[in-house]
Amino acid sequence: MSAPGVPPEPEPAPGVPPEAAPGGPSEMGVADGRGAPSRSALPAGSGGAPAALDWDRAVELIREADEICLACHVVPDGDALGSMLALAQALRSCGKRCLASFGEPFGVPAILRFLPGQEMLVDPARMPRAPKLMISLDAAGRARLGSLAGAADRAGALIVIDHHASNTGFGGVRLVDPDAAATAVLVEELIRRLGVPLDRDIAQGLYAGLASDTGSFKYPSTTPEVHDLAGRLLTAGVRPETVSRELWDRAPFDYLQVLAGALARARLERDAAGGRGLVWTAIARTDRRGLPYEQLEGVIDQLRRTDEAEVAVVCKETDDGRWYFSARSKGHVDLSKVCAALDGGGHREMAGFVWGGPVDEALDRLRALLPSDH
């Protein structure tokens, strides 16, 4: 259900997980190895904010619906799942029957199992084939919905809530703002327009989304308005220490051993990126020692601390033998463009892609795409 003039997005290879790390990119693909006006407190810029008519139409569709299907992107991160569960609970309080899900592999990442509202999650196979009203959350393209992309195409009405500049323009009603710090920002505005007060459980999902996509409020997207929103969520009962511990401060002991190995294998290329530097490491399936793929989320946060490197990359082999590249920059390199050229995407400072060929080949292509001038 793409907007006129927007080409359909290619389907991803089945079973390829995107990054689940908080603050990580939410729009990436697979390379085969060959090639009423918003209140002033709304943390969104004026450039691409949804029009008042879009907000009004979304509210109208929701109020008219008896059953609403919600879907976020596959292998959800904190913003995707937190936003979806927050909205599901808000809609339930309005008397709506809600089904919330995401495409296979269907399983909540360990670090997100503290989020309230998970009793509303259903296996994607139980979602209606052609829902009357569907809401997509934090997915920049229909392909990011995985096995639920077909349901989105067949939906009587599709509302898209997203904050990625790489959004492909799908959906009939688009609440998309690339200047918003997180999809949670837009969901909170929608909840407000529906007249639903924030309780602790709704606020916790929104706070997890906001904290995730601002890197615990340290990325450039952290504006005064973001802190205003965080303050309202804390007022509703969120315990920030609980969210922070679950998202960033917990790991099994085996993770420490895998992390130690990944850091020992790290390589610094000072001349890359026009002399700004590239640091990278790789984690093969055998290096994980049985540690689930999802537990590798925090490795990039350690690598990106390297003073001598503008760009940090972690290459992680997935269970099916593909490689996921998680990339971060310190602001001088636009990684969304670099990764888009490799059939991936994300944000300027946080992006990624999945590669189906040799990891060394992908690294060579990535180096060539980095800017050569300082």
Side-chain angles (χ1 to χ4, degrees), residues 84-373:
M84 182 171 71
L85 293 178
L87 182 57
Q89 293 173 94
L91 295 176
R92 181 173 60 183
S93 74
C94 294
K96 308 298 180 181
R97 180 170 184 262
C98 286
L99 301 174
S101 189
F102 48 89
E104 291 86 0
F106 183 67
V108 175
I111 64 168
L112 300 178
R113 291 174 188 164
F114 74 98
L115 289 173
Q118 292 185 46
E119 70 279 1
M120 303 180 71
L121 291 174
V122 300
D123 189 283
R126 293 180 52 198
M127 293 283 274
R129 184 178 181 276
K132 291 183 178 179
L133 175 60
M134 189 168 182
I135 301 177
S136 165
L137 297 110
D138 204 43
R142 60 174 299 281
R144 293 290 288 120
L145 298 174
S147 60
L148 292 176
D153 286 341
R154 293 184 291 267
L158 177 63
I159 300 171
V160 172
I161 308 177
D162 185 38
H163 74 123
H164 293 93
S166 56
N167 191 283
T168 61
F170 75 117
V173 178
R174 293 168 40 76
L175 304 181
V176 178
D177 186 354
D179 292 329
T183 292
V185 168
L186 298 160
V187 170
E188 190 269 346
E189 175 74 359
L190 179 58
I191 290 173
R192 183 188 72 86
R193 288 171 180 263
L194 289 169
V196 178
L198 294 177
D199 62 21
R200 183 180 61 185
D201 286 350
I202 293 174
Q204 183 141 305
L206 295 173
Y207 188 87
L210 191 63
S212 292
D213 267 25
T214 59
S216 192
F217 305 98
K218 64 186 179 184
Y219 293 156
S221 57
T222 306
T223 63
E225 291 79 18
V226 165
H227 281 298
D228 287 344
L229 173 54
R232 295 197 298 276
L233 300 175
L234 295 182
T235 299
V238 171
R239 299 287 297 269
E241 70 275 18
T242 298
V243 176
S244 178
R245 172 173 168 74
E246 295 292 339
L247 291 179
W248 293 288
D249 299 334
R250 294 185 61 182
F253 181 75
D254 286 347
Y255 168 78
L256 300 180
Q257 296 177 307
V258 173
L259 174 63
L263 296 181
R265 291 188 298 275
R267 296 292 179 265
L268 174 63
E269 301 179 11
R270 297 175 184 270
D271 294 334
R276 293 187 185 275
L278 164 70
V279 62
W280 64 272
T281 192
I283 306 172
R285 281 178 292 179
T286 53
D287 297 325
R288 285 196 259 146
R289 305 181 183 184
L291 193 72
Y293 174 86
E294 68 179 50
Q295 294 287 349
L296 303 179
E297 298 158 357
V299 177
I300 187 64
D301 293 319
Q302 299 302 317
L303 206 65
R304 69 192 295 269
R305 299 173 63 183
T306 305
D307 285 337
E308 298 88 347
E310 161 70 16
V311 177
V313 175
V314 176
C315 320
K316 301 173 288 188
E317 189 179 13
T318 63
D319 291 336
D320 64 358
R322 297 174 185 270
W323 288 88
Y324 178 75
F325 283 66
S326 174
R328 299 289 186 273
S329 83
K330 294 173 181 174
H332 296 288
V333 175
D334 187 347
L335 289 175
S336 66
K337 295 180 179 179
V338 172
C339 291
L342 295 167
D343 296 327
H347 303 287
R348 179 181 180 87
E349 298 176 339
M350 314 171 279
F353 63 94
V354 180
W355 187 260
V359 66
D360 290 341
E361 184 178 338
L363 283 168
D364 287 342
R365 291 192 59 182
L366 185 144
R367 291 186 191 96
L369 289 165
L370 294 175
S372 57
D373 59 319

